[in-house]
Amino acid sequence: MLKSLVRAIYFVALCAIGTAFAQGPGPSPSPSGQQPTVAPMRMMTGADLDKINATLKQIESSLDRRNLTDPDLQALRQQIGPIADQLNAAIEQIAPKLAEIKTRLDQLGPAPDEKAPPESQAVTAERAAQQKSFNDADELSKRAKLLSVRTDQIRAAIAARQRALFASSLFERAPSLTDSVLWVDVWSEAPSNFAAAQTLFVEWFKSINAKFDGWRNWGFWGGLAAIASFYALLVWLARRVLSRRAEVLAPSRLLKALGAWWIALAIALPPIALTYVLGVVLDAFGLAGDPLRPFLQATGLSVVRIALAAGITIGLFAPSRPHWRLPQLDDPASRRLVQVAIFVACIVSSTRLVEAMNDILNVSLQFSVATRGIGSIVAAAALGAGLWGLSSSDDRSEARAASQIHWFSLLRVLAWLAGVVDIAAVLFGYPTFASFLLDQALWIGAVAALLNMSAVLIDEACAAGFKPTTFFGRWLMASLGVRRESLPLLGVLLSGAARLALLCIAAILVLQPLGPRSADAPFDLRAAFFGFSVGDVTISPANVVVAIAIFGFAYGAAHTLLRWLDQSLLPQTRLDPALANSIKTSLGYFGFITAAALSFGYLGLSVEKLALVAGALSVGIGFGLQSIVNNFVSGLILLWERAVSVGDWIIVGADQGYVRRINVRSTEIETFDRSQVIIPNSSLVSGVVKNLIRGDRTSRLVIPLTVAATADPERVREVLVAIAKAHDLVLKIPAPQILFTRMSGSALDFELALFINDVEMLSRARSDLHFEIFKQFKAEGFFNPAAAPATKIEIAGFEAGFKAPIPVDARANSERRADGSA
């Protein structure tokens, strides 16, 4: 009971601290204590539009300056946002008013012509007034729409200037670390910079002591000590209360995910909360002002960076609790990953602290380049050395499918590549780009880890919650009437929707360090590389690389969706396997086309331009691609018409076998001798195809039989019916039929017609029936022919010597007796 109470108190405290940290100091309440009221928005007038027009002109004139910095552009961007909102609100307000006036004018009707009887002056005056109101409102609407378009254009111009400024600063060339002159300047400047930093901190501590005298000084430092003690208490509680128990040897994946999140929060939140509280205290006493404010802000960000790195990696990889570990990694790999993440975060944080101090001391460019370059190289080297020789536990597993991409190996290769590029950038004189790349690598790694933990938690929670035996599952069935077998399907659908939301959030978080550029077009590096233009399309290496990255990301997302459909959603449905395969294949084509369209669109090759190019080339290449297009369209027809599906047994001409795959151009069938036959899709659509299991796996078997004429037809029928009913593959309904098809003096012909429950067992059933029929017919004597009749032979000229003809058989017997006696 006490442990549960402590757990609840600690959880509430963490939530309160996290909420305060996220929201920051709230606004001061109004003197009256009431909430401020929002006045209703009035209708915008022409004078308001004139003021907006003047403001837009001023912003455009400011954009003409070449020496604008990123804060200047951000300030202009903040001015554009409210203007765009006002214009959109004005357009929405004017639209119903226009419709109302138009309705009144329609009710009044047009002015009568000269031949019509005159109308009253009141109606004429009302029509004129309404027409004037309509013209004024229409003019306001048109002006507001024009200004709205102009606002969007200015916003796009500001975003383009920001991207260009960011790219130019990111790829600004600086002295290389291999330059000896750089180190001579750094060595000569280092003592004075260290002395200035020491003096700055000494003065800061003196200002603190001078601000508080007597017991206030002791109270201030004692308060800081109390805050530190509270932090120690939080850490102790985190280790005691929010710990993964060692006695639980086989926790479920849901418990593993919950444990990972608890440990991550317990490790990361206390230092972050402590830093936030210290910042509030320093601000309250006016001790966080200039000139040390940038350094204190960098310190807070460094604590957040290191705390998140430690919390996320320890929570995810569980270095001391292998049975609580989410990824399939061995103990050395898990410990190495945790150490590398924390060490790299510490190096990056130290570098950012030195950079903040460099800005405060206004050091030289050489000293700043040296400190930033050294930090980037050390962090990149630590990252590469930590991942060198690292392998996961399933790297050596032979059971792993060869077609499955191993995410750990992929991330490891990407981390090595980032480290190599980072070191190369520093050595070639691009320390800003190296620093940015390192920050992005750490941030993307943290987002990927959080995404993994969240995805596992959501999947397992949905799988556990949407069971008929759980409270939530029983509530769904009792309250909403959900069927018992539909609960897993609802869980899979909810899990998929949550995964999609997580991917969107992860993409936003990955782009967040780019600042306002993340809200605009994708990150553009074309200013950093040479490119050439063809019409209004610019082709450059950077564009091509980014387009390939967009294609890879989009196609990877589509592949992930298909795998989720194949492994999670479709098995929970009652869809026919052929229809499920058609859905997967069609979505695969759609995903590929969408990824290609996105990548081409980034290059400037929109769908309209591609259509024009295809139309211009259609005449020349139409004949050459006619068969390919025909087969492609035929493949789509096969997928959706499903006349032929994967797994069907078909006969096409002289070839027969099972359909194994329907591709974009051809269909693969596997014959019974294990050979692969490739058939164009057009042949299946336009030709004659015999599908033996289309919609039904039962098959009709007809066995023709011929017996001797002496056999009893009724007895033959009884024997055949008994044989057919005794076989386990023969269906009882429809019952086997015996057809008496032909008779002659020497033979009787029958047909045994029956149905087999599985067409794939047709050959076996035929063979078994043949064996049994032969055995029974042999025992019944149905194959024994009748005795041949006597044959009368007359020989001319021997009538006198023989009174009667001797039968052939008798004569043969007499000859044998004569030979025997002789």
Side-chain angles (χ1 to χ4, degrees), residues 373-397:
I374 291 175
S376 299
I377 286 182
V378 173
L383 183 63
L387 297 178
W388 181 262
L390 197 63
S391 61
S392 63
S393 58
D394 57 347
D395 272 342
R396 297 176 290 271
S397 177

Side-chain angles (χ1 to χ4, degrees), residues 578 582 631-646 659 662-663 665-667 679-686 689 694:
S582 300
N631 289 323
F632 176 75
V633 176
S634 300
L636 296 180
I637 294 175
L638 289 176
L639 288 174
W640 289 105
E641 191 180 56
R642 293 191 297 127
V644 175
S645 303
V646 175
V659 178
I662 300 177
N663 298 316
R665 190 195 64 84
S666 60
T667 297
I679 301 176
N681 291 331
S682 58
S683 301
L684 299 179
V685 174
S686 60
V689 180
R694 167 67 174 166

Side-chain angles (χ1 to χ4, degrees), residues 20-35:
F21 181 79
Q23 295 178 352
S28 58
S30 59
S32 61
Q34 300 178 354
Q35 296 293 333

